[in-house]
Amino acid sequence: MSGPVVAGVDGSRHSLTAAEWAAREAARRGAALRLVHACPPLPRRVSPVPGVDAWQHVGEQMLGQTVADFRVRHPALELDGEHTAAEPAEALLTAAASAGLLVVGARGWGGFDGLAVGSVALRVAAMADCPVVTVPEARRRGAGWDGADRDEVRLGFDAHAPADATADFAFRAAWERGVPLRVVHAWALPPASPSAWMLTVLEEDRARWEDQESQVVSDALRPWRERYPEVTAVPDVILLNPAEALVRASERAGLLVLGRRTATRPTELRLGPVAHAVLHHAHCPVAVVPHPAS
C-alpha cells in the first residue's frame, strides 16, 4: 500500500465526490493525495491553435482551483495536482503504476442519465496495477453509506480459493476505520443435489452443507484473524449467486472489497462477470484489488 492515493478529477460532481473520498483515505493512511486531470488535445481540424491552447488552459485552471479547495479543506494533507494531455484512462493507468490506491468516480462528464459506470472507471478497474476504488454517484448510495465511512467494510471472499491481497486489503481497511469486517461467502448446492429452488432438498442436507461451507470459511480466515487480531471478522455464508449476494451486501456497507485476477497478456486484462455486475449495481464504494491467479 505504499505510494500516494491518486484520484481522477474532471470538474464533474461525480469526480469531486470521489476525490473527497480519496482525501479521507489518504489521511487515514498517512499518504499523499495526487489529483490527476487528463485533457487530451482537440484535433487541429476541429479547433485552431488558439482554441487548443485555451482548452488546455481551462483544464489547468480547473485543476489548480480544485487543488486549492482541497488544501483548504484538508490542511494537514500532502497534496499536489497533475495535468496531462493524455487520454483519461491512459493518464490514470500511468499514475496507478506508482500509486498505493487509485480512486475514480463511477462516471465523469461523459455518459448519459441512467449509466451506472463509465468506460474510464471500468477500464482502470480492469487494468490498473494497484487497487482501484470506484465511488458511485449520490443517488445510487445505499442507506448505509453517507460518505463518512462509519459502517462495516465488506469483503467478497471465495473460501475455496482465498486471494491474499484482497483479504489483506479488506482487513487493513476495517482496521484503519475501526469497524467490523463482514466476510461474504456465496455458495451453491453440490452439483449432484437437486436445484436450490426445488422443494425436494431436505432441510437437514442443506444445513449440513451450509455448516461445511462455514467451516471452510472459518479455516480460510484464520491467517488474517491472526494478522489483524483487532478486527472483528464476521462470516456471512449465503446460498445465493455471488454477484447478487455482494450487491445486497453493499446496501449497508461503507466499502465493499472484491478481487480481480491479474493477467500476463493485455488481451486478458478484463473484469470478471461478478466484479462487472457489482460495479454496475453496488450502493457503496467498491475496491477492486488485483491479485495473482490461484
Side-chain angles (χ1 to χ4, degrees):
M1 291 197 181
S2 60
V5 174
V6 173
V9 293
D10 62 4
S12 68
R13 174 172 50 84
H14 310 295
S15 74
L16 294 177
T17 298
E20 191 63 40
W21 191 97
R24 293 195 302 272
E25 182 67 16
R28 258 191 300 265
R29 294 176 174 219
L33 174 65
R34 177 168 299 149
L35 301 180
V36 175
H37 175 246
C39 188
L42 295 172
R44 293 303 173 102
R45 66 178 182 274
V46 173
S47 177
V49 172
V52 171
D53 293 341
W55 173 252
Q56 292 294 324
H57 182 63
V58 168
E60 291 172 355
Q61 281 190 317
M62 184 280 297
L63 177 63
Q65 185 60 56
T66 302
V67 169
D69 290 345
F70 271 70
R71 282 178 174 155
V72 170
R73 289 202 299 277
H74 304 278
L77 199 60
E78 181 184 345
L79 194 156
D80 66 356
E82 178 183 343
H83 176 82
T84 172
E87 293 292 333
E90 293 302 326
L92 293 173
L93 288 171
T94 299
S98 59
L101 183 70
L102 175 62
V103 182
V104 294
R107 284 176 51 194
W109 281 118
F112 50 86
D113 287 344
L115 179 68
V117 185
S119 59
V120 172
L122 289 173
R123 187 175 176 194
V124 298
M127 300 181 67
D129 294 329
C130 69
V132 176
V133 173
T134 301
V135 180
E137 56 182 308
R139 65 182 176 83
R140 291 178 59 218
R141 298 176 190 172
W145 182 61
D146 60 3
D149 306 315
R150 286 194 292 266
D151 291 327
E152 291 177 334
V153 173
R154 302 197 174 188
L155 165 67
F157 189 69
D158 181 357
H160 298 281
D164 188 88
T166 308
D168 198 71
F169 183 99
F171 269 84
R172 177 164 178 172
W175 172 70
E176 289 172 338
R177 289 161 173 77
V179 299
L181 173 64
R182 186 170 297 272
V183 180
V184 181
H185 171 76
W187 68 288
L189 294 172
S193 69
S195 166
W197 311 114
M198 294 176 64
L199 299 178
T200 51
V201 177
L202 297 177
E203 186 62 32
E204 53 265 36
D205 287 337
R206 172 174 166 162
R208 175 168 52 84
W209 290 324
E210 187 166 4
D211 287 344
Q212 291 172 351
E213 289 295 316
S214 297
Q215 187 59 53
V216 171
V217 172
S218 180
D219 292 342
L221 286 176
R222 187 172 295 115
W224 290 283
R225 281 176 161 156
E226 293 174 353
R227 200 177 306 167
Y228 296 92
E230 305 92 343
V231 175
T232 301
V234 182
D236 197 354
V237 180
I238 305 174
L239 180 59
L240 199 62
N241 172 276
E244 185 176 357
L246 293 172
V247 170
R248 289 187 183 184
S250 74
E251 294 176 358
R252 300 296 302 175
L255 176 66
L256 176 63
V257 182
L258 310 176
R260 169 182 65 81
R261 292 186 181 90
T262 55
T264 56
R265 293 180 293 183
T267 55
E268 296 173 340
L269 289 168
R270 57 185 176 83
L271 291 172
V274 172
H276 193 274
V278 171
L279 283 176
H280 276 86
H281 298 285
H283 300 276
C284 72
V286 178
V288 177
V289 182
H291 64 84
S294 55

